[in-house]
Structures are given as structure tokens and as C-alpha cells.
Amino acid sequence: MGGLGFRNVDDFNTAFLAKQLWRLIEVPDSLFARVFKGRYYRNSNPMDPIRSYSPSYGWRSIVSARSLVNKGLIKRVGSGDTISIWNDPWVPAQIPRPALSNGPFKDPTLCLTQFMDPQTNTWHRDRLFEHFNPVDVALI
């Protein structure tokens, strides 16, 4: 229909705030990040739910974009020893998410390293099929 090309200002603002939050995560040595870190998340990271005394309008606005940033975050497997199989978003689906179980029981003691062969850096496919949904095995 054409139009004047106006964007949804709320969506544009949320995207901008998410970009600033991502910048705090990715460039922690910038002046911008050091100022916010010193004031609001000294011993953690900007994605942690931190309660601060009298937060600024800017910080409250940036924190409001956490849910949008969380939607796109995925844990990289690497060695797999820091990933919670059933809680962390590590499966590379359309929207990153935790693995889906193959049955009703989810063994909380499972580690991702138990599904990997450290010598060849490959997956133990039989173990994957034993514990995870076949759709997830294909994605993994």
C-alpha cells in the first residue's frame, strides 16, 4: 500500500536496547560497559537478574530487553562440561532451546561430555538416540 515508511517505534526501541545489551556482553572493555558494570553488575554479567538500588532509567530500559536477547542466545558446546542438557539452550533449532527427552525420565546427572568422543571429536550417536528425541538428534 506504500505509506510513509514509518516503523513501529516500540519495536525499534526494543531492538535498539537489545543491541546495547548485546554490546555490554560482547565488548566488556568499552567505556560504556565499564560504567554500567561498575554500577550495576560488578561481580556477574548483564544477563543475570540483579536487583540494584535506585537504577537509572537507561539501565532499567536496557534490562527490559533481556527477554529479547535471551530468545537468540545459544550455548556453544565446546567441551560440553558447563552445559545443563535439560535447561540450557544448546540445541541449534530455529529458536535455540534445551534438548527434548526421548521418554518421560530425564536423568539430571547426565553430562554432555558423556555423549562425545574426545579422541575423534564426534558424537556417540547410539547414546544420543537413547536419550534424546530423534528430531533433536538430527539437529545435534
Side-chain angles (χ1 to χ4, degrees):
M1 292 289 192
L4 298 175
F6 293 121
R7 295 186 176 148
N8 183 333
V9 176
D10 291 332
D11 290 345
F12 186 77
N13 187 48
T14 303
F16 177 73
L17 292 169
K19 184 175 181 179
Q20 296 307 312
L21 179 57
W22 185 249
R23 187 166 174 241
L24 289 174
I25 296 167
E26 285 296 304
V27 190
D29 295 330
S30 69
L31 178 61
F32 174 70
R34 288 186 291 157
V35 168
F36 278 99
K37 183 175 180 68
R39 176 73 169 96
Y40 299 110
Y41 59 98
R42 207 169 274 163
N43 298 320
S44 61
N45 73 60
M47 293 301 289
D48 290 341
I50 305 156
R51 298 195 69 100
S52 59
Y53 175 74
S54 185
S56 68
Y57 178 74
W59 177 248
R60 285 183 307 201
S61 299
I62 289 172
V63 165
S64 72
R66 278 187 188 145
S67 62
L68 181 61
V69 172
N70 265 330
K71 283 183 185 176
L73 288 180
I74 187 169
K75 287 225 176 191
R76 296 290 176 204
V77 173
S79 64
D81 54 356
T82 61
I83 294 178
S84 171
I85 293 174
W86 309 117
N87 297 319
D88 291 335
W90 65 277
V91 176
Q94 182 85 23
I95 296 173
R97 59 176 171 71
L100 300 174
S101 177
N102 201 13
F105 178 69
K106 294 180 182 179
D107 185 357
T109 62
L110 284 177
C111 296
L112 200 54
T113 53
Q114 295 170 318
F115 298 95
M116 302 164 73
D117 183 358
Q119 261 100 31
T120 61
N121 238 9
T122 58
W123 296 101
H124 292 295
R125 291 184 60 81
D126 55 333
R127 291 185 193 162
L128 290 174
F129 278 106
E130 183 181 338
H131 293 280
F132 302 130
N133 186 306
V135 173
D136 280 359
V137 174
L139 291 170
I140 294 167

Short mmCIF file of all heavy atoms in Angstrom, two decimals, residues 91-124:
data_model
loop_
_atom_site.label_atom_id
_atom_site.label_comp_id
_atom_site.label_asym_id
_atom_site.label_seq_id
_atom_site.Cartn_x
_atom_site.Cartn_y
_atom_site.Cartn_z
N VAL A 91 20.67 -26.76 21.79
CA VAL A 91 20.26 -27.44 20.55
C VAL A 91 20.02 -26.37 19.48
O VAL A 91 19.21 -25.45 19.68
CB VAL A 91 18.98 -28.28 20.77
CG1 VAL A 91 18.52 -28.90 19.46
CG2 VAL A 91 19.25 -29.36 21.80
N PRO A 92 20.71 -26.47 18.34
CA PRO A 92 20.60 -25.42 17.31
C PRO A 92 19.32 -25.51 16.49
O PRO A 92 19.33 -25.74 15.28
CB PRO A 92 21.83 -25.66 16.45
CG PRO A 92 22.09 -27.12 16.58
CD PRO A 92 21.68 -27.49 17.98
N ALA A 93 18.19 -25.32 17.13
CA ALA A 93 16.89 -25.33 16.45
C ALA A 93 16.61 -23.92 15.92
O ALA A 93 17.44 -23.02 16.07
CB ALA A 93 15.81 -25.76 17.42
N GLN A 94 15.45 -23.73 15.32
CA GLN A 94 15.06 -22.41 14.83
C GLN A 94 15.21 -21.36 15.94
O GLN A 94 15.77 -20.31 15.74
CB GLN A 94 13.62 -22.46 14.33
CG GLN A 94 13.12 -21.17 13.75
CD GLN A 94 13.48 -21.01 12.30
OE1 GLN A 94 13.73 -21.99 11.63
NE2 GLN A 94 13.52 -19.79 11.83
N ILE A 95 14.68 -21.70 17.10
CA ILE A 95 14.90 -20.90 18.31
C ILE A 95 15.69 -21.81 19.25
O ILE A 95 15.22 -22.88 19.62
CB ILE A 95 13.57 -20.47 18.96
CG1 ILE A 95 12.80 -19.55 18.01
CG2 ILE A 95 13.81 -19.80 20.29
CD1 ILE A 95 11.41 -19.21 18.48
N PRO A 96 16.93 -21.43 19.63
CA PRO A 96 17.75 -22.29 20.49
C PRO A 96 17.00 -22.70 21.75
O PRO A 96 16.29 -21.89 22.35
CB PRO A 96 18.95 -21.41 20.82
CG PRO A 96 19.01 -20.43 19.70
CD PRO A 96 17.60 -20.19 19.29
N ARG A 97 17.17 -23.97 22.13
CA ARG A 97 16.44 -24.50 23.28
C ARG A 97 17.19 -25.68 23.88
O ARG A 97 18.13 -26.20 23.28
CB ARG A 97 15.05 -24.95 22.84
CG ARG A 97 15.09 -26.02 21.75
CD ARG A 97 13.71 -26.51 21.41
NE ARG A 97 13.72 -27.36 20.25
CZ ARG A 97 14.21 -28.60 20.21
NH1 ARG A 97 14.73 -29.13 21.28
NH2 ARG A 97 14.16 -29.32 19.10
N PRO A 98 16.77 -26.12 25.08
CA PRO A 98 17.35 -27.34 25.65
C PRO A 98 16.90 -28.57 24.85
O PRO A 98 15.97 -28.50 24.05
CB PRO A 98 16.77 -27.39 27.07
CG PRO A 98 16.19 -26.05 27.32
CD PRO A 98 15.88 -25.45 26.00
N ALA A 99 17.57 -29.67 25.08
CA ALA A 99 17.22 -30.92 24.38
C ALA A 99 15.88 -31.46 24.90
O ALA A 99 15.50 -31.23 26.05
CB ALA A 99 18.31 -31.96 24.60
N LEU A 100 15.19 -32.18 24.03
CA LEU A 100 13.95 -32.84 24.40
C LEU A 100 14.25 -34.30 24.70
O LEU A 100 14.97 -34.96 23.95
CB LEU A 100 12.93 -32.74 23.26
CG LEU A 100 12.53 -31.33 22.85
CD1 LEU A 100 11.63 -31.37 21.63
CD2 LEU A 100 11.85 -30.61 23.99
N SER A 101 13.68 -34.82 25.76
CA SER A 101 13.93 -36.19 26.18
C SER A 101 13.20 -37.18 25.27
O SER A 101 12.15 -36.88 24.72
CB SER A 101 13.46 -36.38 27.62
OG SER A 101 13.63 -37.72 28.01
N ASN A 102 13.78 -38.36 25.16
CA ASN A 102 13.19 -39.44 24.37
C ASN A 102 12.07 -40.15 25.13
O ASN A 102 11.30 -40.87 24.55
CB ASN A 102 14.28 -40.43 23.98
CG ASN A 102 13.90 -41.26 22.78
OD1 ASN A 102 12.93 -40.95 22.09
ND2 ASN A 102 14.65 -42.30 22.52
N GLY A 103 12.01 -39.93 26.41
CA GLY A 103 10.99 -40.57 27.24
C GLY A 103 10.58 -39.66 28.38
O GLY A 103 10.96 -38.50 28.44
N PRO A 104 9.82 -40.21 29.32
CA PRO A 104 9.34 -39.37 30.42
C PRO A 104 10.41 -39.06 31.46
O PRO A 104 10.28 -38.12 32.22
CB PRO A 104 8.21 -40.19 31.03
CG PRO A 104 8.56 -41.60 30.69
CD PRO A 104 9.27 -41.55 29.36
N PHE A 105 11.50 -39.83 31.49
CA PHE A 105 12.52 -39.66 32.52
C PHE A 105 13.70 -38.87 31.97
O PHE A 105 14.25 -39.20 30.92
CB PHE A 105 12.99 -41.03 33.03
CG PHE A 105 14.07 -40.93 34.06
CD1 PHE A 105 13.79 -40.42 35.33
CD2 PHE A 105 15.36 -41.32 33.76
CE1 PHE A 105 14.80 -40.33 36.28
CE2 PHE A 105 16.36 -41.22 34.71
CZ PHE A 105 16.08 -40.73 35.98
N LYS A 106 14.08 -37.81 32.70
CA LYS A 106 15.25 -37.01 32.35
C LYS A 106 16.29 -37.18 33.44
O LYS A 106 16.10 -36.68 34.55
CB LYS A 106 14.90 -35.53 32.22
CG LYS A 106 13.98 -35.21 31.09
CD LYS A 106 13.69 -33.71 31.09
CE LYS A 106 12.74 -33.34 30.00
NZ LYS A 106 12.44 -31.91 30.00
N ASP A 107 17.37 -37.89 33.16
CA ASP A 107 18.41 -38.13 34.15
C ASP A 107 19.16 -36.82 34.42
O ASP A 107 19.87 -36.32 33.55
CB ASP A 107 19.37 -39.20 33.64
CG ASP A 107 20.42 -39.59 34.66
OD1 ASP A 107 20.44 -38.99 35.75
OD2 ASP A 107 21.22 -40.48 34.36
N PRO A 108 19.02 -36.26 35.63
CA PRO A 108 19.67 -34.97 35.91
C PRO A 108 21.19 -35.07 36.05
O PRO A 108 21.88 -34.06 36.02
CB PRO A 108 19.04 -34.54 37.24
CG PRO A 108 18.55 -35.80 37.86
CD PRO A 108 18.22 -36.73 36.74
N THR A 109 21.73 -36.28 36.16
CA THR A 109 23.18 -36.44 36.32
C THR A 109 23.92 -36.52 34.99
O THR A 109 25.14 -36.56 34.97
CB THR A 109 23.50 -37.71 37.14
OG1 THR A 109 23.03 -38.86 36.42
CG2 THR A 109 22.86 -37.64 38.51
N LEU A 110 23.18 -36.55 33.89
CA LEU A 110 23.83 -36.64 32.58
C LEU A 110 24.62 -35.38 32.27
O LEU A 110 24.18 -34.27 32.52
CB LEU A 110 22.79 -36.83 31.47
CG LEU A 110 22.18 -38.21 31.33
CD1 LEU A 110 21.13 -38.19 30.22
CD2 LEU A 110 23.24 -39.24 31.00
N CYS A 111 25.80 -35.61 31.71
CA CYS A 111 26.64 -34.51 31.24
C CYS A 111 26.79 -34.64 29.73
O CYS A 111 26.79 -35.76 29.20
CB CYS A 111 28.02 -34.56 31.86
SG CYS A 111 28.01 -34.36 33.64
N LEU A 112 26.93 -33.54 29.07
CA LEU A 112 27.05 -33.58 27.61
C LEU A 112 28.32 -34.30 27.18
O LEU A 112 28.38 -34.90 26.12
CB LEU A 112 27.02 -32.16 27.05
CG LEU A 112 26.67 -32.03 25.59
CD1 LEU A 112 25.36 -32.72 25.26
CD2 LEU A 112 26.60 -30.59 25.19
N THR A 113 29.34 -34.28 28.03
CA THR A 113 30.60 -34.95 27.70
C THR A 113 30.41 -36.47 27.58
O THR A 113 31.21 -37.12 26.91
CB THR A 113 31.67 -34.66 28.76
OG1 THR A 113 31.15 -34.98 30.05
CG2 THR A 113 32.07 -33.20 28.73
N GLN A 114 29.36 -37.02 28.19
CA GLN A 114 29.10 -38.46 28.09
C GLN A 114 28.61 -38.86 26.70
O GLN A 114 28.59 -40.02 26.37
CB GLN A 114 28.08 -38.89 29.13
CG GLN A 114 28.56 -38.73 30.56
CD GLN A 114 27.45 -38.93 31.56
OE1 GLN A 114 26.33 -38.46 31.38
NE2 GLN A 114 27.77 -39.64 32.64
N PHE A 115 28.22 -37.89 25.90
CA PHE A 115 27.73 -38.15 24.55
C PHE A 115 28.78 -37.87 23.48
O PHE A 115 28.51 -37.99 22.30
CB PHE A 115 26.49 -37.29 24.26
CG PHE A 115 25.34 -37.59 25.18
CD1 PHE A 115 25.13 -36.86 26.33
CD2 PHE A 115 24.48 -38.64 24.90
CE1 PHE A 115 24.08 -37.14 27.18
CE2 PHE A 115 23.41 -38.92 25.73
CZ PHE A 115 23.22 -38.18 26.87
N MET A 116 29.97 -37.48 23.91
CA MET A 116 31.02 -37.09 22.97
C MET A 116 32.22 -38.03 23.07
O MET A 116 32.54 -38.52 24.14
CB MET A 116 31.47 -35.66 23.27
CG MET A 116 30.35 -34.65 23.20
SD MET A 116 30.73 -33.08 23.97
CE MET A 116 31.86 -32.41 22.79
N ASP A 117 32.87 -38.24 21.93
CA ASP A 117 34.12 -39.00 21.88
C ASP A 117 35.26 -37.99 21.82
O ASP A 117 35.44 -37.31 20.80
CB ASP A 117 34.14 -39.90 20.65
CG ASP A 117 35.38 -40.77 20.58
OD1 ASP A 117 36.25 -40.65 21.47
OD2 ASP A 117 35.49 -41.56 19.63
N PRO A 118 36.05 -37.86 22.89
CA PRO A 118 37.08 -36.83 22.93
C PRO A 118 38.22 -37.04 21.92
O PRO A 118 38.85 -36.09 21.49
CB PRO A 118 37.60 -36.88 24.37
CG PRO A 118 37.18 -38.19 24.91
CD PRO A 118 35.99 -38.63 24.13
N GLN A 119 38.48 -38.30 21.55
CA GLN A 119 39.56 -38.56 20.60
C GLN A 119 39.21 -38.08 19.19
O GLN A 119 40.03 -37.47 18.52
CB GLN A 119 39.90 -40.06 20.53
CG GLN A 119 41.11 -40.42 21.36
CD GLN A 119 40.68 -41.00 22.69
OE1 GLN A 119 39.63 -41.64 22.78
NE2 GLN A 119 41.48 -40.79 23.71
N THR A 120 37.99 -38.38 18.74
CA THR A 120 37.60 -38.03 17.38
C THR A 120 36.77 -36.76 17.29
O THR A 120 36.47 -36.27 16.21
CB THR A 120 36.80 -39.18 16.74
OG1 THR A 120 35.60 -39.38 17.50
CG2 THR A 120 37.62 -40.45 16.68
N ASN A 121 36.41 -36.21 18.45
CA ASN A 121 35.57 -35.01 18.50
C ASN A 121 34.24 -35.20 17.77
O ASN A 121 33.79 -34.33 17.04
CB ASN A 121 36.33 -33.81 17.93
CG ASN A 121 36.43 -32.69 18.93
OD1 ASN A 121 36.08 -32.86 20.09
ND2 ASN A 121 36.91 -31.55 18.47
N THR A 122 33.64 -36.38 17.95
CA THR A 122 32.36 -36.70 17.32
C THR A 122 31.36 -37.11 18.41
O THR A 122 31.73 -37.31 19.57
CB THR A 122 32.50 -37.85 16.31
OG1 THR A 122 33.03 -39.00 16.98
CG2 THR A 122 33.40 -37.45 15.15
N TRP A 123 30.12 -37.25 18.00
CA TRP A 123 29.07 -37.66 18.92
C TRP A 123 28.93 -39.18 18.95
O TRP A 123 29.15 -39.83 17.94
CB TRP A 123 27.72 -37.07 18.48
CG TRP A 123 27.67 -35.58 18.52
CD1 TRP A 123 27.79 -34.73 17.47
CD2 TRP A 123 27.48 -34.76 19.67
NE1 TRP A 123 27.68 -33.44 17.89
CE2 TRP A 123 27.48 -33.43 19.25
CE3 TRP A 123 27.29 -35.04 21.03
CZ2 TRP A 123 27.31 -32.35 20.12
CZ3 TRP A 123 27.12 -33.97 21.90
CH2 TRP A 123 27.14 -32.65 21.44
N HIS A 124 28.56 -39.72 20.10
CA HIS A 124 28.16 -41.12 20.22
C HIS A 124 26.69 -41.18 19.82
O HIS A 124 25.79 -40.95 20.64
CB HIS A 124 28.33 -41.64 21.64
CG HIS A 124 29.74 -41.75 22.10
ND1 HIS A 124 30.63 -42.62 21.54
CD2 HIS A 124 30.41 -41.08 23.07
CE1 HIS A 124 31.80 -42.51 22.14
NE2 HIS A 124 31.69 -41.57 23.07
#
